[in-house]
Amino acid sequence: MQWDGNPSIILDIKTYVGVALPVQVKNIGFTGIFRLIFRPLVDEFPCFGAVCFSLRKKKKLDFTLKVIGGDISTIPGLSDAIESTIKDAVEDSITWPVRKVIPILPGDYSDLELKPVGTLEVKLVQAKELTNKDIIGKSDPFAVLYVRPLRDRTKKSRTINNQLNPVWNEHFEFVIEDASTQHLTVKIYDEEGVQSAEIIGCAQIQLTELQPGKVKDVWLKLVKDLDIQRDNKNRGQVHLELLYCPYGMQNGFTNPFAQKFSLTSLEKVLKGGAKGKDAVEDGGKDNRRKEVYVRGVLSVTVVSAEDLPPADLMGKADPYVVLSLKKTEARNKTRVVNDNLNPVWNQTFDFVVEDGLHDMLILEVWDHDTFRKDYMGGCILTLTRVLMEGEYSDAIPLDGAKSGTLNLHLKWTPQPIYRDS
């Protein structure tokens, strides 16, 4: 369908500094593929009870912005911000799975309306090798994530200052209406203070790539524009853990992000789940997500390493591994294996973990010398996989090294919280 019109729409734009701007939207042009659904089929004319229509694929959406009595370009970044917001709002209001239902014959057509079918749990772990957008120092990255680009359904991470390899380890939840067509979008920005943030790169992943009930660990390559996927410039990568949970999923599947025990009213208040007396009386339900705490013992066996990069003039190294938890800062280290690029340790370390969903295991490989130590590479692991599987073994490539992998075995022993009934 192609539509070109010349409406005059006046928007009242309120800025952060309290100034209201009347903005005119005109010269709207639109091209896209629409989906029409005739349902339910019936015996009487016209043989269907209702029509659903929705935009299945957008090809083009253009319009002109003009500040009434002024020039919109005089305010840096304002035109781009308003244009992006309008595009997102227009597209989301008509793009599948959002649909408009038009009754043709009398009847109840509530089953045709948009309904949530599941939740997408997203852990924004980290990013690496981000493009530096600052002339002095390094970028101050933060992430924006959404399935539908609506203001109340868009999530934003905290900003990590002066860092091109930020570690967030933040958890977000999204409502899913159609897992067969929807996707998750991640955009990484450089915080610019009072100026508008500058985009570093963006990425998308289709929900069809996820197996329901199973965590998917992915690194996504960042590109400049999602509509033009070919991008020869290295803008960095973003690391995500994704779990799609359809409603009503059985077969023994448990969502590790869900509460396994009910909270008392006091705990709901202390853990930020409720807001005052009214929230407690309402069972502690509000729009904010309840924090989940998973306690237990993490057993880490550092089995061996392979193909480590040489660290001395003789082409050898004296490697050892330092293990630590990000939140509790508990530390351990293996013994040193002299003159070996394929060391075997087979050492096990136990860590008491108070918050398994939000802690991270950091492993660093160092070369031991008498007068100094050299960093050889490392890796950062969330605990999501070991929480779900109980235990697993894996070979983890080392970041910050030309070569090398670390062979690990992780085991989780939960320590349930008991209460008097």
Side-chain angles (χ1 to χ4, degrees):
M1 187 181 95
Q2 181 174 336
W3 183 76
D4 292 293
N6 188 25
S8 178
I9 304 168
I10 308 300
L11 301 177
D12 187 29
I13 306 295
K14 288 183 172 61
T15 63
Y16 284 118
V17 294
V19 179
L21 297 173
V23 175
Q24 182 183 29
V25 184
K26 61 180 184 177
N27 300 328
I28 297 177
F30 182 84
T31 305
I33 299 173
F34 266 76
R35 166 179 282 176
L36 296 172
I37 301 175
F38 303 92
R39 187 185 296 172
L41 300 182
V42 295
D43 292 334
E44 58 183 298
F45 184 80
C47 300
F48 51 86
V51 177
C52 299
F53 73 89
S54 178
L55 176 66
R56 184 63 189 88
K57 184 178 180 181
K58 180 208 72 171
K59 288 190 175 182
K60 189 177 182 182
L61 174 61
D62 288 322
F63 49 81
T64 303
L65 293 178
K66 181 182 178 183
V67 174
I68 298 177
D71 184 2
I72 197 169
S73 62
T74 58
I75 304 177
L78 180 62
S79 178
D80 290 342
I82 295 175
E83 184 173 336
S84 175
T85 302
I86 293 174
K87 280 190 174 181
D88 287 344
V90 171
E91 289 177 24
D92 183 82
S93 67
I94 58 174
T95 301
W96 185 266
V98 175
R99 77 291 303 264
K100 307 294 183 184
V101 180
I102 302 175
I104 303 299
L105 298 175
D108 180 12
Y109 302 112
S110 58
D111 59 317
L112 300 179
E113 295 174 355
L114 184 66
K115 293 185 178 65
V117 297
T119 58
L120 176 66
E121 309 279 357
V122 179
K123 182 173 281 188
L124 172 68
V125 184
Q126 59 183 320
K128 66 180 181 180
E129 300 172 2
L130 296 179
T131 301
N132 191 8
K133 293 291 185 179
D134 290 354
I135 299 176
I136 301 175
K138 299 177 182 178
S139 295
D140 308 315
F142 67 91
V144 172
L145 305 90
Y146 59 84
V147 174
R148 292 176 57 187
L150 300 177
R151 182 175 179 180
D152 60 344
R153 296 181 64 166
T154 298
K155 313 294 184 182
K156 180 184 176 183
S157 76
R158 69 183 186 277
T159 299
I160 298 182
N161 295 324
N162 200 38
Q163 181 60 259
L164 300 180
N165 297 284
V167 177
W168 290 286
N169 198 35
E170 295 186 48
H171 171 245
F172 306 100
E173 182 183 272
F174 299 91
V175 175
I176 301 302
E177 286 97 357
D178 184 4
S180 65
T181 60
Q182 289 185 298
H183 51 259
L184 174 72
T185 299
V186 184
K187 295 184 177 181
I188 310 295
Y189 291 90
D190 176 27
E191 181 68 68
E192 296 289 353
V194 295
Q195 300 181 21
S196 60
E198 185 177 2
I199 190 164
I200 297 175
C202 48
Q204 270 186 355
I205 183 169
Q206 300 290 330
L207 267 61
T208 51
E209 299 181 36
L210 308 182
Q211 181 179 338
K214 187 173 182 179
V215 174
K216 186 177 181 68
D217 188 299
V218 293
W219 282 93
L220 300 178
K221 182 178 182 294
L222 297 175
V223 296
K224 182 179 181 180
D225 191 333
L226 292 171
D227 293 329
I228 307 173
Q229 286 290 331
R230 285 184 294 180
D231 192 342
N232 295 326
K233 184 176 180 180
N234 180 27
R235 302 179 186 278
Q237 301 179 69
V238 61
H239 182 197
L240 305 173
E241 286 182 346
L242 306 166
L243 174 64
Y244 173 54
C245 308
Y247 292 151
M249 188 173 183
Q250 302 297 328
N251 301 325
F253 164 72
T254 55
N255 180 358
F257 296 100
Q259 290 281 16
K260 295 183 180 178
F261 49 86
S262 59
L263 295 178
T264 65
S265 296
L266 177 61
E267 287 170 324
K268 288 170 185 170
V269 175
L270 293 177
K271 293 190 177 182
K275 301 175 182 175
K277 179 180 177 182
D278 293 338
V280 172
E281 291 175 351
D282 192 33
K285 295 181 180 179
D286 65 6
N287 293 327
R288 292 198 301 167
R289 178 170 180 77
K290 315 296 186 297
E291 285 295 324
V292 182
Y293 296 89
V294 179
R295 190 174 188 272
V297 176
L298 175 67
S299 300
V300 183
T301 301
V302 184
V303 181
S304 62
E306 298 175 3
D307 194 26
L308 293 179
D312 57 34
L313 297 176
M314 303 299 293
K316 293 289 185 178
D318 307 316
Y320 66 97
V321 180
V322 176
L323 307 87
S324 60
L325 289 179
K326 185 173 178 62
K327 291 193 72 171
T328 63
E329 299 182 351
R331 292 172 64 88
N332 270 306
K333 66 179 181 179
T334 68
R335 64 180 180 275
V336 177
V337 178
N338 293 318
D339 297 328
N340 204 320
L341 300 181
N342 298 281
V344 177
W345 292 283
N346 273 325
Q347 288 183 261
T348 301
F349 305 92
D350 291 335
F351 296 91
V352 176
V353 181
E354 298 293 340
D355 187 5
L357 286 176
H358 304 99
D359 216 336
M360 305 179 82
L361 176 65
I362 302 172
L363 300 109
E364 300 173 321
V365 182
W366 294 86
D367 173 48
H368 180 269
D369 283 323
T370 304
F371 300 105
R372 66 172 190 175
K373 58 181 182 177
D374 296 318
Y375 180 71
M376 301 179 67
C379 56
I380 299 176
L381 302 177
T382 69
L383 308 187
T384 309
R385 182 178 173 187
V386 74
L387 289 177
M388 292 199 67
E389 299 183 12
E391 62 180 305
Y392 71 91
S393 298
D394 204 353
I396 312 296
L398 294 179
D399 282 331
K402 293 181 180 178
S403 62
T405 56
L406 203 56
N407 297 310
L408 304 171
H409 180 83
L410 277 69
K411 183 178 180 180
W412 176 258
T413 305
Q415 293 185 344
I417 299 174
Y418 296 99
R419 293 195 186 86
D420 296 333
S421 57

XYZ file of all heavy atoms in Angstrom, residues 368-408:
313
model
N 53.370 -15.539 35.888
C 54.093 -15.238 37.128
C 55.575 -15.038 36.844
O 56.229 -15.880 36.232
C 53.907 -16.377 38.132
C 54.617 -16.140 39.433
N 55.908 -16.570 39.681
C 54.216 -15.494 40.563
C 56.261 -16.214 40.900
N 55.255 -15.562 41.455
N 56.082 -13.899 37.271
C 57.511 -13.621 37.217
C 57.962 -13.146 38.590
O 57.157 -12.712 39.417
C 57.831 -12.552 36.160
C 57.794 -13.123 34.747
O 58.216 -14.272 34.568
O 57.307 -12.418 33.834
N 59.248 -13.199 38.810
C 59.785 -12.833 40.128
C 59.518 -11.371 40.456
O 59.141 -11.024 41.577
C 61.300 -13.099 40.184
O 61.545 -14.468 39.852
C 61.851 -12.802 41.581
N 59.693 -10.505 39.477
C 59.592 -9.077 39.748
C 58.297 -8.448 39.253
O 58.013 -7.293 39.551
C 60.783 -8.346 39.118
C 62.107 -8.818 39.647
C 62.920 -9.628 38.875
C 62.523 -8.471 40.921
C 64.147 -10.074 39.359
C 63.739 -8.904 41.407
C 64.554 -9.714 40.642
N 57.508 -9.170 38.444
C 56.258 -8.598 37.946
C 55.338 -9.721 37.477
O 55.735 -10.879 37.435
C 56.517 -7.632 36.794
C 57.074 -8.305 35.551
C 57.124 -7.363 34.381
N 57.436 -8.081 33.149
C 57.449 -7.522 31.948
N 57.150 -6.238 31.825
N 57.738 -8.223 30.869
N 54.144 -9.354 37.144
C 53.198 -10.318 36.564
C 52.556 -9.693 35.338
O 52.289 -8.494 35.304
C 52.132 -10.733 37.578
C 51.312 -9.586 38.147
C 50.298 -10.107 39.160
C 49.434 -8.943 39.685
N 48.392 -9.419 40.621
N 52.323 -10.506 34.298
C 51.759 -10.030 33.036
C 50.388 -10.655 32.809
O 50.205 -11.865 32.985
C 52.683 -10.387 31.864
C 54.037 -9.682 31.964
O 54.032 -8.490 32.306
O 55.066 -10.337 31.729
N 49.440 -9.817 32.390
C 48.085 -10.280 32.097
C 48.081 -11.024 30.761
O 48.571 -10.530 29.752
C 47.133 -9.084 32.043
C 45.697 -9.424 31.752
C 44.908 -10.077 32.698
C 45.115 -9.076 30.530
C 43.584 -10.360 32.432
C 43.788 -9.363 30.263
C 43.027 -10.010 31.219
O 41.720 -10.307 30.948
N 47.517 -12.228 30.726
C 47.514 -13.058 29.523
C 46.138 -13.180 28.877
O 46.010 -13.670 27.760
C 48.050 -14.462 29.847
C 49.467 -14.469 30.397
S 50.025 -16.142 30.795
C 50.111 -16.885 29.162
N 45.093 -12.770 29.580
C 43.729 -12.878 29.049
C 42.754 -13.244 30.151
O 43.158 -13.567 31.272
N 41.489 -13.182 29.834
C 40.489 -13.508 30.844
C 39.105 -13.672 30.256
O 38.914 -13.586 29.034
N 38.123 -13.916 31.117
C 36.730 -14.041 30.673
C 35.811 -13.715 31.848
O 36.209 -13.788 33.014
C 36.439 -15.442 30.126
S 36.797 -16.789 31.271
N 34.594 -13.326 31.507
C 33.568 -13.001 32.499
C 32.361 -13.889 32.237
O 31.862 -13.961 31.109
C 33.161 -11.521 32.411
C 34.367 -10.614 32.677
C 32.051 -11.202 33.404
C 34.065 -9.137 32.501
N 31.895 -14.595 33.262
C 30.755 -15.504 33.122
C 29.638 -15.093 34.069
O 29.880 -14.807 35.244
C 31.168 -16.952 33.445
C 32.299 -17.573 32.623
C 32.605 -18.964 33.141
C 31.939 -17.621 31.154
N 28.418 -15.049 33.560
C 27.260 -14.936 34.455
C 26.964 -16.326 35.011
O 27.494 -17.337 34.536
C 26.034 -14.407 33.706
O 25.588 -15.406 32.786
C 26.351 -13.124 32.940
N 26.088 -16.368 36.007
C 25.776 -17.644 36.647
C 24.460 -18.236 36.162
O 23.995 -19.250 36.694
C 25.743 -17.462 38.170
C 26.979 -16.796 38.798
C 26.880 -16.828 40.307
C 28.263 -17.452 38.334
N 23.861 -17.619 35.149
C 22.541 -18.063 34.687
C 22.553 -19.524 34.251
O 21.669 -20.310 34.618
C 22.071 -17.184 33.519
O 22.179 -15.816 33.870
C 20.621 -17.498 33.181
N 23.543 -19.894 33.447
C 23.568 -21.265 32.911
C 23.720 -22.305 34.022
O 23.021 -23.320 34.031
C 24.697 -21.401 31.893
C 24.764 -22.780 31.252
C 25.863 -22.872 30.208
N 26.012 -24.232 29.723
C 26.975 -24.639 28.902
N 27.877 -23.761 28.455
N 27.049 -25.908 28.517
N 24.620 -22.068 34.957
C 24.820 -23.057 36.013
C 23.608 -23.115 36.946
O 23.288 -24.167 37.510
C 26.128 -22.765 36.789
C 25.996 -21.558 37.708
C 26.559 -23.986 37.574
N 22.886 -21.986 37.103
C 21.663 -22.004 37.909
C 20.601 -22.888 37.267
O 19.855 -23.582 37.953
C 21.122 -20.586 38.073
C 21.916 -19.626 38.969
C 21.291 -18.253 38.956
C 22.014 -20.165 40.375
N 20.519 -22.855 35.931
C 19.488 -23.631 35.238
C 19.881 -25.095 35.060
O 19.048 -25.991 35.203
C 19.202 -23.005 33.874
C 18.538 -21.651 33.943
S 17.733 -21.201 32.404
C 16.418 -22.410 32.327
N 21.160 -25.348 34.755
C 21.583 -26.717 34.446
C 22.136 -27.466 35.653
O 22.289 -28.685 35.604
C 22.627 -26.685 33.327
C 22.107 -26.091 32.022
C 23.141 -26.126 30.905
O 24.182 -26.816 31.075
O 22.913 -25.460 29.875
N 22.469 -26.749 36.720
C 23.012 -27.421 37.895
C 24.523 -27.554 37.832
O 25.217 -27.218 38.780
N 25.047 -28.066 36.723
C 26.481 -28.126 36.492
C 26.751 -28.307 35.008
O 25.917 -28.835 34.266
C 27.156 -29.237 37.297
C 26.706 -30.648 36.993
C 27.449 -31.661 37.856
O 28.708 -31.659 37.851
O 26.778 -32.456 38.536
N 27.912 -27.845 34.577
C 28.291 -28.005 33.172
C 29.795 -27.807 33.030
O 30.460 -27.231 33.901
C 27.545 -27.006 32.276
C 27.961 -25.572 32.398
C 28.964 -25.037 31.575
C 27.370 -24.721 33.329
C 29.351 -23.712 31.683
C 27.756 -23.393 33.436
C 28.740 -22.892 32.613
O 29.127 -21.583 32.713
N 30.329 -28.308 31.928
C 31.727 -28.105 31.569
C 31.777 -27.364 30.241
O 30.929 -27.571 29.372
C 32.459 -29.451 31.446
O 32.458 -30.140 32.670
N 32.787 -26.492 30.091
C 32.883 -25.736 28.850
C 34.308 -25.240 28.657
O 35.075 -25.115 29.623
C 31.918 -24.547 28.880
C 31.525 -24.086 27.476
O 32.100 -24.597 26.500
O 30.627 -23.223 27.370
N 34.642 -24.983 27.389
C 35.916 -24.364 27.037
C 35.641 -22.911 26.676
O 34.923 -22.639 25.709
C 36.572 -25.107 25.881
N 36.193 -21.982 27.437
C 35.890 -20.565 27.291
C 37.062 -19.851 26.615
O 38.181 -19.877 27.137
C 35.617 -19.903 28.659
C 34.635 -20.737 29.482
C 35.120 -18.484 28.471
C 33.262 -20.858 28.883
N 36.837 -19.212 25.459
C 37.918 -18.442 24.826
C 38.319 -17.255 25.709
O 37.482 -16.647 26.371
C 37.299 -17.969 23.509
C 36.089 -18.823 23.297
C 35.604 -19.211 24.653
N 39.604 -16.931 25.698
C 40.103 -15.824 26.502
C 39.971 -14.511 25.738
O 40.393 -14.409 24.583
C 41.566 -16.055 26.867
C 41.869 -17.241 27.796
C 43.361 -17.358 28.035
C 41.123 -17.108 29.113
N 39.378 -13.516 26.379
C 39.341 -12.165 25.819
C 40.653 -11.462 26.133
O 41.288 -11.714 27.165
C 38.176 -11.363 26.411
C 36.846 -11.736 25.775
O 36.855 -12.129 24.599
O 35.813 -11.626 26.460
N 41.054 -10.556 25.241
C 42.273 -9.812 25.464
C 43.531 -10.596 25.195
O 44.620 -10.215 25.640
N 43.411 -11.721 24.481
C 44.563 -12.559 24.156
C 44.487 -12.967 22.690
O 43.396 -13.097 22.126
C 44.610 -13.797 25.048
N 45.640 -13.177 22.077
C 45.669 -13.598 20.684
C 45.155 -15.023 20.523
O 44.640 -15.397 19.471
C 47.092 -13.492 20.133
C 47.609 -12.060 20.028
C 49.014 -12.026 19.458
C 49.524 -10.595 19.343
N 50.923 -10.545 18.817
N 45.321 -15.845 21.557
C 44.859 -17.238 21.513
C 44.630 -17.709 22.931
O 44.945 -17.015 23.897
C 45.892 -18.124 20.802
O 47.120 -18.112 21.533
N 44.098 -18.914 23.056
C 43.936 -19.517 24.372
C 42.495 -19.754 24.772
O 41.611 -18.947 24.480
N 42.263 -20.894 25.412
C 40.962 -21.227 25.987
C 41.167 -21.765 27.393
O 42.220 -22.314 27.723
C 40.215 -22.285 25.148
O 41.040 -23.455 25.017
C 39.861 -21.755 23.782
N 40.141 -21.582 28.213
C 40.165 -22.033 29.596
C 39.100 -23.107 29.762
O 37.931 -22.888 29.437
C 39.890 -20.846 30.518
C 40.362 -20.899 31.964
C 41.860 -21.168 32.042
C 40.018 -19.585 32.655
N 39.497 -24.292 30.230
C 38.563 -25.407 30.425
C 38.076 -25.416 31.867
O 38.884 -25.537 32.808
C 39.252 -26.737 30.087
C 39.664 -26.808 28.621
O 38.871 -26.536 27.733
N 40.916 -27.169 28.370
N 36.764 -25.278 32.023
C 36.172 -25.125 33.349
C 35.061 -26.136 33.579
O 34.420 -26.616 32.633
C 35.589 -23.716 33.515
C 36.514 -22.522 33.282
C 35.712 -21.240 33.283
C 37.603 -22.475 34.342
